[in-house]
Amino acid sequence: MQRLQKKLAAEFGIDFSDLALLETAFTHTSYANEHRLLKISHNERLEFLGDAVLQLIISRYLYQKYPQFPEGEMSKMRSTFVREESLAGFTRTCGFEAFLRLGKGEEKSGGRNRDTILGDLFEAFLGALLLDKGVEAVEAFLYQVMIPQLEVGNFERVTDYKTSLQELLQVNGEVMIQYQVVSEIGPAHDKLFEVEVLVNGQAMGRGQGRSKKQAEQAAAKNAVEARG
Amino acid sequence: MQRLQKKLAAEFGIDFSDLALLETAFTHTSYANEHRLLKISHNERLEFLGDAVLQLIISRYLYQKYPQFPEGEMSKMRSTFVREESLAGFTRTCGFEAFLRLGKGEEKSGGRNRDTILGDLFEAFLGALLLDKGVEAVEAFLYQVMIPQLEVGNFERVTDYKTSLQELLQVNGEVMIQYQVVSEIGPAHDKLFEVEVLVNGQAMGRGQGRSKKQAEQAAAKNAVEARG
């Protein structure tokens, strides 16, 4: 944990005080269960707290960044951002997974690279940071690590619905998939696009987004989900 | 709004700066829709933000207050606390509903006393307070207005599942309903009770809570839900 503490200071400017708390954040239930007699705390409660502070900071970011967006649109964006695959990606970017205390069984079955475990780890770390340093410190960390990625739309790569839709449809041979912008609202710096996806000329789904790319993803997602 | 500003200062020690923001928080969509040409902002976006800050503060409160509780239990308690009927009650306690700007149609149909509208208003106010004064101010306000009520379990009155269960069962004549404690875990100041509800001697549901009363409510809820 001291190595992690040094890493946090060097890379993120975080002077983490409570090492026991940090250790709890990096302890998966599987590790605690294997060492039951030692009564080791695991990170599920911190994950609960971390999820809440993450939601708040992303909400405040979206509120300020997109003054034109209705509540429903912000809500959808937020759930995209805080998806477990997205959070697992941030754990990897930060190189946190190496510090995770994992049970032997989980380790063998590849748990150290599993999105659910790594997504939960990211949240648990945020929870611990909240307790150790307060909301502003969590916000500063997320503005370093996560928000810049959201700004450039990198989170979208995590689930590429356009590719999913293509793969789904081409099972039965070649199809023609087209995306067309149906509407654009708002000023240039704060646009909301609506896109429709056509399969062999027929409408299959619609989606909105703050870029054409994002609206296309949303339309593809809508079409994928409609096919069940 | 100036009257509200004075009330906030006098009763809650809140020195609210941005009156336009306060006005938005107290403007229901129905009012904005009736004055469409004036392009008045309504409170839905602030409600989104307020919901997030409320979740965080209640989460941190539960985390610190109940160190023994697993994540699932905290999550259930949190959703009980932040239910719309519960929040509507706090709006009434604060006397906020008098300041709500409501459309004429909503006013006529009793919207000023409707739980959905008043619950949303409470969240929107929290969102505005977050923007005006920060997280700590929201926390201080909730520790004044809401947390003391949670401590004494007053929120439970909002939905009385024991009464609901009784009403549900007695449709077909008299029944005997008993509650029995199945287990108690944790130290005296931080207990978790599990209670089973028996109907004519037969187990119908189980529930956990930090008091017997709460565990009984949870068991009754479980039984009500099991009956669909």
Side-chain angles (χ1 to χ4, degrees), chain A residues 44-46 48-49 52-53 56 59-60 63-64 66-67 69 71 74-75 78 130-131 135, chain B residues 44-46 48-49 52-53 56 59-60 63-64 66-67 69 71 74-75 78 130-131 135:
Chain A
E44 276 189 6
R45 280 168 47 84
L46 284 171
F48 171 78
L49 205 52
V53 71
L56 172 62
S59 302
R60 183 152 63 175
Y63 184 93
Q64 284 162 344
Y66 302 106
F69 279 15
E71 176 275 338
M74 292 194 292
S75 184
R78 185 177 64 184
L130 174 72
L131 293 176
V135 176
Chain B
E44 277 189 5
R45 280 167 47 83
L46 283 170
F48 171 78
L49 204 53
V53 72
L56 172 63
S59 302
R60 181 152 64 176
Y63 184 93
Q64 284 162 344
Y66 303 106
F69 278 16
E71 177 274 339
M74 292 193 292
S75 184
R78 185 177 65 184
L130 173 73
L131 293 176
V135 177

mmCIF file of all heavy atoms in Angstrom, chain A residues 44-46 48-49 52-53 56 59-60 63-64 66-67 69 71 74-75 78 130-131 135, chain B residues 44-46 48-49 52-53 56 59-60 63-64 66-67 69 71 74-75 78 130-131 135:
data_model
loop_
_atom_site.group_PDB
_atom_site.id
_atom_site.type_symbol
_atom_site.label_atom_id
_atom_site.label_comp_id
_atom_site.label_asym_id
_atom_site.label_seq_id
_atom_site.Cartn_x
_atom_site.Cartn_y
_atom_site.Cartn_z
ATOM 1 N N GLU A 44 -16.782 -3.421 -0.626
ATOM 2 C CA GLU A 44 -18.157 -3.224 -1.104
ATOM 3 C C GLU A 44 -18.848 -1.992 -0.535
ATOM 4 O O GLU A 44 -19.612 -1.328 -1.234
ATOM 5 C CB GLU A 44 -19.006 -4.469 -0.821
ATOM 6 C CG GLU A 44 -18.833 -5.516 -1.901
ATOM 7 C CD GLU A 44 -19.827 -6.659 -1.764
ATOM 8 O OE1 GLU A 44 -20.731 -6.596 -0.906
ATOM 9 O OE2 GLU A 44 -19.688 -7.630 -2.519
ATOM 10 N N ARG A 45 -18.592 -1.703 0.742
ATOM 11 C CA ARG A 45 -19.222 -0.519 1.329
ATOM 12 C C ARG A 45 -18.632 0.771 0.737
ATOM 13 O O ARG A 45 -19.344 1.751 0.492
ATOM 14 C CB ARG A 45 -19.048 -0.533 2.856
ATOM 15 C CG ARG A 45 -20.052 -1.440 3.576
ATOM 16 C CD ARG A 45 -19.682 -1.664 5.036
ATOM 17 N NE ARG A 45 -19.326 -0.455 5.750
ATOM 18 C CZ ARG A 45 -20.218 0.373 6.312
ATOM 19 N NH1 ARG A 45 -21.497 0.103 6.282
ATOM 20 N NH2 ARG A 45 -19.814 1.459 6.926
ATOM 21 N N LEU A 46 -17.329 0.753 0.490
ATOM 22 C CA LEU A 46 -16.691 1.924 -0.121
ATOM 23 C C LEU A 46 -17.179 2.130 -1.554
ATOM 24 O O LEU A 46 -17.285 3.267 -2.028
ATOM 25 C CB LEU A 46 -15.169 1.779 -0.098
ATOM 26 C CG LEU A 46 -14.523 2.023 1.257
ATOM 27 C CD1 LEU A 46 -13.051 1.626 1.218
ATOM 28 C CD2 LEU A 46 -14.660 3.495 1.673
ATOM 29 N N PHE A 48 -20.153 1.526 -2.596
ATOM 30 C CA PHE A 48 -21.465 2.175 -2.437
ATOM 31 C C PHE A 48 -21.300 3.699 -2.330
ATOM 32 O O PHE A 48 -22.001 4.476 -2.987
ATOM 33 C CB PHE A 48 -22.127 1.603 -1.171
ATOM 34 C CG PHE A 48 -23.383 2.295 -0.716
ATOM 35 C CD1 PHE A 48 -24.593 2.058 -1.347
ATOM 36 C CD2 PHE A 48 -23.359 3.163 0.362
ATOM 37 C CE1 PHE A 48 -25.763 2.676 -0.914
ATOM 38 C CE2 PHE A 48 -24.526 3.783 0.807
ATOM 39 C CZ PHE A 48 -25.726 3.544 0.162
ATOM 40 N N LEU A 49 -20.346 4.092 -1.521
ATOM 41 C CA LEU A 49 -20.060 5.509 -1.311
ATOM 42 C C LEU A 49 -19.444 6.139 -2.571
ATOM 43 O O LEU A 49 -19.809 7.249 -2.969
ATOM 44 C CB LEU A 49 -19.062 5.611 -0.156
ATOM 45 C CG LEU A 49 -18.996 6.876 0.664
ATOM 46 C CD1 LEU A 49 -20.368 7.271 1.167
ATOM 47 C CD2 LEU A 49 -18.027 6.672 1.828
ATOM 48 N N ALA A 52 -21.879 6.934 -5.303
ATOM 49 C CA ALA A 52 -22.670 8.146 -5.037
ATOM 50 C C ALA A 52 -21.881 9.416 -5.348
ATOM 51 O O ALA A 52 -22.412 10.358 -5.945
ATOM 52 C CB ALA A 52 -23.159 8.149 -3.592
ATOM 53 N N VAL A 53 -20.607 9.451 -4.976
ATOM 54 C CA VAL A 53 -19.830 10.677 -5.225
ATOM 55 C C VAL A 53 -19.531 10.818 -6.720
ATOM 56 O O VAL A 53 -19.534 11.929 -7.272
ATOM 57 C CB VAL A 53 -18.557 10.743 -4.340
ATOM 58 C CG1 VAL A 53 -17.508 9.746 -4.758
ATOM 59 C CG2 VAL A 53 -17.985 12.158 -4.322
ATOM 60 N N LEU A 56 -22.596 12.252 -8.387
ATOM 61 C CA LEU A 56 -22.734 13.688 -8.122
ATOM 62 C C LEU A 56 -21.800 14.504 -9.004
ATOM 63 O O LEU A 56 -22.196 15.492 -9.610
ATOM 64 C CB LEU A 56 -22.448 14.011 -6.651
ATOM 65 C CG LEU A 56 -22.392 15.515 -6.380
ATOM 66 C CD1 LEU A 56 -23.718 16.197 -6.676
ATOM 67 C CD2 LEU A 56 -21.949 15.797 -4.954
ATOM 68 N N SER A 59 -22.835 14.439 -12.560
ATOM 69 C CA SER A 59 -24.062 15.237 -12.721
ATOM 70 C C SER A 59 -23.753 16.728 -12.769
ATOM 71 O O SER A 59 -24.270 17.457 -13.620
ATOM 72 C CB SER A 59 -25.031 14.978 -11.559
ATOM 73 O OG SER A 59 -25.349 13.618 -11.477
ATOM 74 N N ARG A 60 -22.905 17.178 -11.860
ATOM 75 C CA ARG A 60 -22.547 18.598 -11.825
ATOM 76 C C ARG A 60 -21.792 18.992 -13.092
ATOM 77 O O ARG A 60 -22.027 20.056 -13.653
ATOM 78 C CB ARG A 60 -21.717 18.913 -10.571
ATOM 79 C CG ARG A 60 -21.369 20.376 -10.420
ATOM 80 C CD ARG A 60 -21.178 20.807 -8.984
ATOM 81 N NE ARG A 60 -20.069 20.138 -8.316
ATOM 82 C CZ ARG A 60 -19.663 20.428 -7.071
ATOM 83 N NH1 ARG A 60 -20.293 21.361 -6.373
ATOM 84 N NH2 ARG A 60 -18.663 19.790 -6.518
ATOM 85 N N TYR A 63 -24.381 19.174 -15.882
ATOM 86 C CA TYR A 63 -25.250 20.335 -15.683
ATOM 87 C C TYR A 63 -24.573 21.607 -16.186
ATOM 88 O O TYR A 63 -25.180 22.442 -16.850
ATOM 89 C CB TYR A 63 -25.593 20.478 -14.199
ATOM 90 C CG TYR A 63 -26.562 21.596 -13.920
ATOM 91 C CD1 TYR A 63 -27.927 21.354 -13.875
ATOM 92 C CD2 TYR A 63 -26.114 22.903 -13.726
ATOM 93 C CE1 TYR A 63 -28.831 22.380 -13.636
ATOM 94 C CE2 TYR A 63 -27.007 23.940 -13.492
ATOM 95 C CZ TYR A 63 -28.360 23.673 -13.448
ATOM 96 O OH TYR A 63 -29.244 24.693 -13.228
ATOM 97 N N GLN A 64 -23.302 21.733 -15.858
ATOM 98 C CA GLN A 64 -22.586 22.955 -16.224
ATOM 99 C C GLN A 64 -22.136 22.964 -17.682
ATOM 100 O O GLN A 64 -22.165 23.988 -18.345
ATOM 101 C CB GLN A 64 -21.398 23.161 -15.274
ATOM 102 C CG GLN A 64 -21.901 23.667 -13.910
ATOM 103 C CD GLN A 64 -20.926 23.503 -12.776
ATOM 104 O OE1 GLN A 64 -19.959 22.745 -12.874
ATOM 105 N NE2 GLN A 64 -21.169 24.195 -11.671
ATOM 106 N N TYR A 66 -23.558 21.290 -20.294
ATOM 107 C CA TYR A 66 -24.645 21.268 -21.277
ATOM 108 C C TYR A 66 -25.891 21.978 -20.763
ATOM 109 O O TYR A 66 -26.883 21.337 -20.430
ATOM 110 C CB TYR A 66 -24.977 19.818 -21.656
ATOM 111 C CG TYR A 66 -23.789 19.087 -22.200
ATOM 112 C CD1 TYR A 66 -23.121 18.122 -21.457
ATOM 113 C CD2 TYR A 66 -23.299 19.393 -23.476
ATOM 114 C CE1 TYR A 66 -22.003 17.480 -21.959
ATOM 115 C CE2 TYR A 66 -22.193 18.752 -23.983
ATOM 116 C CZ TYR A 66 -21.538 17.803 -23.218
ATOM 117 O OH TYR A 66 -20.436 17.175 -23.716
ATOM 118 N N PRO A 67 -25.833 23.315 -20.714
ATOM 119 C CA PRO A 67 -26.949 24.076 -20.146
ATOM 120 C C PRO A 67 -28.265 23.890 -20.900
ATOM 121 O O PRO A 67 -29.320 24.189 -20.351
ATOM 122 C CB PRO A 67 -26.461 25.535 -20.208
ATOM 123 C CG PRO A 67 -25.271 25.537 -21.086
ATOM 124 C CD PRO A 67 -24.702 24.168 -21.100
ATOM 125 N N PHE A 69 -29.327 20.937 -22.190
ATOM 126 C CA PHE A 69 -29.828 19.559 -22.190
ATOM 127 C C PHE A 69 -30.908 19.346 -21.139
ATOM 128 O O PHE A 69 -30.740 19.730 -19.980
ATOM 129 C CB PHE A 69 -28.681 18.581 -21.931
ATOM 130 C CG PHE A 69 -27.866 18.267 -23.145
ATOM 131 C CD1 PHE A 69 -27.943 19.050 -24.281
ATOM 132 C CD2 PHE A 69 -27.006 17.169 -23.151
ATOM 133 C CE1 PHE A 69 -27.184 18.759 -25.402
ATOM 134 C CE2 PHE A 69 -26.245 16.875 -24.268
ATOM 135 C CZ PHE A 69 -26.326 17.668 -25.396
ATOM 136 N N GLU A 71 -33.210 17.095 -18.533
ATOM 137 C CA GLU A 71 -32.826 16.158 -17.483
ATOM 138 C C GLU A 71 -32.627 14.734 -18.045
ATOM 139 O O GLU A 71 -31.669 14.059 -17.694
ATOM 140 C CB GLU A 71 -33.913 16.200 -16.401
ATOM 141 C CG GLU A 71 -33.756 15.231 -15.257
ATOM 142 C CD GLU A 71 -34.323 13.872 -15.557
ATOM 143 O OE1 GLU A 71 -35.191 13.786 -16.452
ATOM 144 O OE2 GLU A 71 -33.880 12.896 -14.927
ATOM 145 N N MET A 74 -29.304 14.290 -19.859
ATOM 146 C CA MET A 74 -28.167 14.246 -18.911
ATOM 147 C C MET A 74 -28.132 12.893 -18.207
ATOM 148 O O MET A 74 -27.072 12.327 -17.981
ATOM 149 C CB MET A 74 -28.304 15.364 -17.868
ATOM 150 C CG MET A 74 -28.129 16.754 -18.454
ATOM 151 S SD MET A 74 -27.894 18.035 -17.160
ATOM 152 C CE MET A 74 -29.506 18.053 -16.386
ATOM 153 N N SER A 75 -29.307 12.411 -17.875
ATOM 154 C CA SER A 75 -29.406 11.149 -17.161
ATOM 155 C C SER A 75 -28.852 9.994 -18.002
ATOM 156 O O SER A 75 -28.112 9.141 -17.516
ATOM 157 C CB SER A 75 -30.877 10.939 -16.804
ATOM 158 O OG SER A 75 -31.035 9.797 -16.043
ATOM 159 N N ARG A 78 -25.067 10.331 -18.254
ATOM 160 C CA ARG A 78 -24.439 9.926 -17.004
ATOM 161 C C ARG A 78 -24.343 8.408 -16.902
ATOM 162 O O ARG A 78 -23.303 7.858 -16.558
ATOM 163 C CB ARG A 78 -25.220 10.486 -15.815
ATOM 164 C CG ARG A 78 -24.568 10.213 -14.475
ATOM 165 C CD ARG A 78 -25.334 10.846 -13.325
ATOM 166 N NE ARG A 78 -26.661 10.256 -13.189
ATOM 167 C CZ ARG A 78 -27.580 10.670 -12.316
ATOM 168 N NH1 ARG A 78 -27.323 11.683 -11.523
ATOM 169 N NH2 ARG A 78 -28.747 10.087 -12.257
ATOM 170 N N LEU A 130 -12.992 10.073 -0.979
ATOM 171 C CA LEU A 130 -14.003 10.963 -0.389
ATOM 172 C C LEU A 130 -13.827 11.048 1.123
ATOM 173 O O LEU A 130 -13.822 12.141 1.695
ATOM 174 C CB LEU A 130 -15.405 10.437 -0.713
ATOM 175 C CG LEU A 130 -16.569 11.180 -0.040
ATOM 176 C CD1 LEU A 130 -16.767 12.557 -0.669
ATOM 177 C CD2 LEU A 130 -17.863 10.377 -0.108
ATOM 178 N N LEU A 131 -13.660 9.876 1.759
ATOM 179 C CA LEU A 131 -13.528 9.863 3.217
ATOM 180 C C LEU A 131 -12.207 10.478 3.663
ATOM 181 O O LEU A 131 -12.130 11.156 4.687
ATOM 182 C CB LEU A 131 -13.625 8.430 3.745
ATOM 183 C CG LEU A 131 -14.997 7.750 3.584
ATOM 184 C CD1 LEU A 131 -14.928 6.306 4.050
ATOM 185 C CD2 LEU A 131 -16.078 8.503 4.356
ATOM 186 N N VAL A 135 -15.004 15.783 -0.947
ATOM 187 C CA VAL A 135 -15.597 15.811 -2.294
ATOM 188 C C VAL A 135 -14.704 16.521 -3.309
ATOM 189 O O VAL A 135 -14.564 16.070 -4.451
ATOM 190 C CB VAL A 135 -16.974 16.517 -2.263
ATOM 191 C CG1 VAL A 135 -17.554 16.638 -3.659
ATOM 192 C CG2 VAL A 135 -17.938 15.773 -1.364
ATOM 193 N N GLU B 44 -36.509 21.118 -13.562
ATOM 194 C CA GLU B 44 -36.176 19.706 -13.797
ATOM 195 C C GLU B 44 -34.679 19.411 -13.807
ATOM 196 O O GLU B 44 -34.256 18.359 -13.344
ATOM 197 C CB GLU B 44 -36.817 19.217 -15.100
ATOM 198 C CG GLU B 44 -38.258 18.799 -14.889
ATOM 199 C CD GLU B 44 -38.849 18.107 -16.106
ATOM 200 O OE1 GLU B 44 -38.108 17.863 -17.093
ATOM 201 O OE2 GLU B 44 -40.047 17.830 -16.078
ATOM 202 N N ARG B 45 -33.919 20.317 -14.370
ATOM 203 C CA ARG B 45 -32.469 20.099 -14.396
ATOM 204 C C ARG B 45 -31.871 20.201 -12.985
ATOM 205 O O ARG B 45 -30.979 19.434 -12.607
ATOM 206 C CB ARG B 45 -31.787 21.104 -15.339
ATOM 207 C CG ARG B 45 -31.893 20.722 -16.820
ATOM 208 C CD ARG B 45 -31.490 21.860 -17.753
ATOM 209 N NE ARG B 45 -30.248 22.506 -17.376
ATOM 210 C CZ ARG B 45 -29.032 22.058 -17.705
ATOM 211 N NH1 ARG B 45 -28.893 20.968 -18.432
ATOM 212 N NH2 ARG B 45 -27.953 22.693 -17.314
ATOM 213 N N LEU B 46 -32.384 21.130 -12.207
ATOM 214 C CA LEU B 46 -31.892 21.269 -10.825
ATOM 215 C C LEU B 46 -32.278 20.058 -9.980
ATOM 216 O O LEU B 46 -31.541 19.660 -9.074
ATOM 217 C CB LEU B 46 -32.444 22.547 -10.190
ATOM 218 C CG LEU B 46 -31.768 23.839 -10.639
ATOM 219 C CD1 LEU B 46 -32.552 25.048 -10.137
ATOM 220 C CD2 LEU B 46 -30.317 23.896 -10.152
ATOM 221 N N PHE B 48 -32.410 17.032 -11.083
ATOM 222 C CA PHE B 48 -31.415 16.014 -11.455
ATOM 223 C C PHE B 48 -30.157 16.152 -10.581
ATOM 224 O O PHE B 48 -29.633 15.187 -10.034
ATOM 225 C CB PHE B 48 -31.081 16.207 -12.937
ATOM 226 C CG PHE B 48 -29.922 15.402 -13.465
ATOM 227 C CD1 PHE B 48 -30.067 14.053 -13.772
ATOM 228 C CD2 PHE B 48 -28.682 16.003 -13.684
ATOM 229 C CE1 PHE B 48 -29.006 13.313 -14.278
ATOM 230 C CE2 PHE B 48 -27.614 15.265 -14.192
ATOM 231 C CZ PHE B 48 -27.778 13.915 -14.482
ATOM 232 N N LEU B 49 -29.723 17.386 -10.434
ATOM 233 C CA LEU B 49 -28.530 17.673 -9.646
ATOM 234 C C LEU B 49 -28.802 17.442 -8.150
ATOM 235 O O LEU B 49 -27.975 16.873 -7.422
ATOM 236 C CB LEU B 49 -28.172 19.150 -9.873
ATOM 237 C CG LEU B 49 -26.753 19.600 -9.666
ATOM 238 C CD1 LEU B 49 -25.787 18.747 -10.453
ATOM 239 C CD2 LEU B 49 -26.629 21.075 -10.099
ATOM 240 N N ALA B 52 -28.760 13.864 -7.054
ATOM 241 C CA ALA B 52 -27.401 13.309 -6.932
ATOM 242 C C ALA B 52 -26.732 13.738 -5.620
ATOM 243 O O ALA B 52 -26.089 12.921 -4.948
ATOM 244 C CB ALA B 52 -26.550 13.718 -8.130
ATOM 245 N N VAL B 53 -26.884 14.994 -5.242
ATOM 246 C CA VAL B 53 -26.227 15.451 -4.010
ATOM 247 C C VAL B 53 -26.917 14.854 -2.785
ATOM 248 O O VAL B 53 -26.270 14.495 -1.792
ATOM 249 C CB VAL B 53 -26.119 17.002 -3.952
ATOM 250 C CG1 VAL B 53 -27.467 17.658 -3.703
ATOM 251 C CG2 VAL B 53 -25.129 17.417 -2.874
ATOM 252 N N LEU B 56 -25.651 11.315 -2.347
ATOM 253 C CA LEU B 56 -24.308 11.294 -1.781
ATOM 254 C C LEU B 56 -24.337 11.540 -0.276
ATOM 255 O O LEU B 56 -23.685 10.825 0.501
ATOM 256 C CB LEU B 56 -23.410 12.343 -2.441
ATOM 257 C CG LEU B 56 -22.046 12.484 -1.742
ATOM 258 C CD1 LEU B 56 -21.246 11.192 -1.812
ATOM 259 C CD2 LEU B 56 -21.257 13.636 -2.321
ATOM 260 N N SER B 59 -25.795 8.674 1.570
ATOM 261 C CA SER B 59 -24.854 7.545 1.525
ATOM 262 C C SER B 59 -23.744 7.719 2.554
ATOM 263 O O SER B 59 -23.398 6.791 3.280
ATOM 264 C CB SER B 59 -24.214 7.420 0.129
ATOM 265 O OG SER B 59 -25.207 7.265 -0.849
ATOM 266 N N ARG B 60 -23.184 8.909 2.615
ATOM 267 C CA ARG B 60 -22.095 9.169 3.561
ATOM 268 C C ARG B 60 -22.607 9.068 5.001
ATOM 269 O O ARG B 60 -21.940 8.516 5.872
ATOM 270 C CB ARG B 60 -21.478 10.554 3.289
ATOM 271 C CG ARG B 60 -20.315 10.886 4.221
ATOM 272 C CD ARG B 60 -19.302 11.832 3.594
ATOM 273 N NE ARG B 60 -19.864 13.151 3.295
ATOM 274 C CZ ARG B 60 -19.139 14.176 2.813
ATOM 275 N NH1 ARG B 60 -17.842 14.012 2.572
ATOM 276 N NH2 ARG B 60 -19.693 15.326 2.542
ATOM 277 N N TYR B 63 -23.055 5.342 5.712
ATOM 278 C CA TYR B 63 -21.748 4.694 5.808
ATOM 279 C C TYR B 63 -21.145 4.926 7.197
ATOM 280 O O TYR B 63 -20.602 4.015 7.824
ATOM 281 C CB TYR B 63 -20.813 5.248 4.730
ATOM 282 C CG TYR B 63 -19.470 4.557 4.713
ATOM 283 C CD1 TYR B 63 -19.246 3.465 3.889
ATOM 284 C CD2 TYR B 63 -18.431 4.984 5.533
ATOM 285 C CE1 TYR B 63 -18.025 2.809 3.880
ATOM 286 C CE2 TYR B 63 -17.210 4.346 5.539
ATOM 287 C CZ TYR B 63 -17.007 3.258 4.711
ATOM 288 O OH TYR B 63 -15.807 2.612 4.714
ATOM 289 N N GLN B 64 -21.247 6.159 7.660
ATOM 290 C CA GLN B 64 -20.620 6.494 8.942
ATOM 291 C C GLN B 64 -21.458 6.046 10.129
ATOM 292 O O GLN B 64 -20.931 5.606 11.146
ATOM 293 C CB GLN B 64 -20.343 8.007 8.991
ATOM 294 C CG GLN B 64 -19.124 8.337 8.116
ATOM 295 C CD GLN B 64 -19.003 9.789 7.744
ATOM 296 O OE1 GLN B 64 -19.948 10.563 7.864
ATOM 297 N NE2 GLN B 64 -17.828 10.187 7.249
ATOM 298 N N TYR B 66 -23.670 3.470 10.263
ATOM 299 C CA TYR B 66 -23.854 2.019 10.369
ATOM 300 C C TYR B 66 -22.663 1.246 9.823
ATOM 301 O O TYR B 66 -22.747 0.638 8.758
ATOM 302 C CB TYR B 66 -25.140 1.582 9.638
ATOM 303 C CG TYR B 66 -26.346 2.293 10.166
ATOM 304 C CD1 TYR B 66 -26.954 3.304 9.423
ATOM 305 C CD2 TYR B 66 -26.864 1.992 11.416
ATOM 306 C CE1 TYR B 66 -28.060 3.996 9.926
ATOM 307 C CE2 TYR B 66 -27.959 2.666 11.922
ATOM 308 C CZ TYR B 66 -28.547 3.668 11.172
ATOM 309 O OH TYR B 66 -29.625 4.345 11.670
ATOM 310 N N PRO B 67 -21.552 1.272 10.559
ATOM 311 C CA PRO B 67 -20.316 0.635 10.077
ATOM 312 C C PRO B 67 -20.452 -0.881 9.849
ATOM 313 O O PRO B 67 -19.633 -1.454 9.148
ATOM 314 C CB PRO B 67 -19.299 0.945 11.181
ATOM 315 C CG PRO B 67 -20.075 1.431 12.339
ATOM 316 C CD PRO B 67 -21.357 1.971 11.822
ATOM 317 N N PHE B 69 -23.199 -2.361 8.519
ATOM 318 C CA PHE B 69 -24.189 -2.714 7.505
ATOM 319 C C PHE B 69 -23.557 -3.013 6.154
ATOM 320 O O PHE B 69 -22.722 -2.247 5.669
ATOM 321 C CB PHE B 69 -25.196 -1.570 7.322
ATOM 322 C CG PHE B 69 -26.287 -1.558 8.348
ATOM 323 C CD1 PHE B 69 -26.176 -2.291 9.519
ATOM 324 C CD2 PHE B 69 -27.435 -0.819 8.140
ATOM 325 C CE1 PHE B 69 -27.183 -2.277 10.476
ATOM 326 C CE2 PHE B 69 -28.446 -0.794 9.091
ATOM 327 C CZ PHE B 69 -28.317 -1.526 10.256
ATOM 328 N N GLU B 71 -23.477 -3.335 2.025
ATOM 329 C CA GLU B 71 -23.862 -2.390 0.983
ATOM 330 C C GLU B 71 -25.364 -2.486 0.663
ATOM 331 O O GLU B 71 -26.046 -1.475 0.521
ATOM 332 C CB GLU B 71 -22.996 -2.680 -0.257
ATOM 333 C CG GLU B 71 -23.275 -1.857 -1.473
ATOM 334 C CD GLU B 71 -24.388 -2.434 -2.326
ATOM 335 O OE1 GLU B 71 -24.664 -3.660 -2.191
ATOM 336 O OE2 GLU B 71 -25.006 -1.662 -3.080
ATOM 337 N N MET B 74 -27.565 -0.744 3.214
ATOM 338 C CA MET B 74 -27.479 0.722 3.104
ATOM 339 C C MET B 74 -28.259 1.213 1.890
ATOM 340 O O MET B 74 -28.928 2.245 1.931
ATOM 341 C CB MET B 74 -26.015 1.155 2.985
ATOM 342 C CG MET B 74 -25.197 0.932 4.253
ATOM 343 S SD MET B 74 -23.599 1.797 4.214
ATOM 344 C CE MET B 74 -22.726 0.887 2.936
ATOM 345 N N SER B 75 -28.167 0.447 0.826
ATOM 346 C CA SER B 75 -28.831 0.821 -0.414
ATOM 347 C C SER B 75 -30.347 0.837 -0.232
ATOM 348 O O SER B 75 -31.039 1.758 -0.689
ATOM 349 C CB SER B 75 -28.409 -0.184 -1.477
ATOM 350 O OG SER B 75 -28.932 0.164 -2.699
ATOM 351 N N ARG B 78 -31.296 3.805 1.965
ATOM 352 C CA ARG B 78 -31.206 5.053 1.206
ATOM 353 C C ARG B 78 -32.439 5.244 0.327
ATOM 354 O O ARG B 78 -33.020 6.323 0.296
ATOM 355 C CB ARG B 78 -29.939 5.058 0.344
ATOM 356 C CG ARG B 78 -29.712 6.359 -0.390
ATOM 357 C CD ARG B 78 -28.409 6.345 -1.162
ATOM 358 N NE ARG B 78 -28.439 5.353 -2.231
ATOM 359 C CZ ARG B 78 -27.412 5.071 -3.021
ATOM 360 N NH1 ARG B 78 -26.264 5.683 -2.850
ATOM 361 N NH2 ARG B 78 -27.510 4.176 -3.968
ATOM 362 N N LEU B 130 -26.661 23.515 -3.867
ATOM 363 C CA LEU B 130 -25.343 22.981 -4.240
ATOM 364 C C LEU B 130 -24.591 23.976 -5.120
ATOM 365 O O LEU B 130 -23.408 24.266 -4.882
ATOM 366 C CB LEU B 130 -25.516 21.649 -4.993
ATOM 367 C CG LEU B 130 -24.241 21.062 -5.593
ATOM 368 C CD1 LEU B 130 -23.336 20.479 -4.511
ATOM 369 C CD2 LEU B 130 -24.553 19.985 -6.638
ATOM 370 N N LEU B 131 -25.289 24.518 -6.137
ATOM 371 C CA LEU B 131 -24.635 25.450 -7.057
ATOM 372 C C LEU B 131 -24.301 26.769 -6.365
ATOM 373 O O LEU B 131 -23.280 27.380 -6.636
ATOM 374 C CB LEU B 131 -25.540 25.719 -8.264
ATOM 375 C CG LEU B 131 -25.779 24.518 -9.188
ATOM 376 C CD1 LEU B 131 -26.776 24.888 -10.277
ATOM 377 C CD2 LEU B 131 -24.471 24.021 -9.812
ATOM 378 N N VAL B 135 -21.360 21.651 -1.624
ATOM 379 C CA VAL B 135 -21.809 20.401 -1.004
ATOM 380 C C VAL B 135 -21.984 20.539 0.508
ATOM 381 O O VAL B 135 -22.950 20.030 1.082
ATOM 382 C CB VAL B 135 -20.810 19.255 -1.283
ATOM 383 C CG1 VAL B 135 -21.231 17.979 -0.570
ATOM 384 C CG2 VAL B 135 -20.697 18.983 -2.774
#
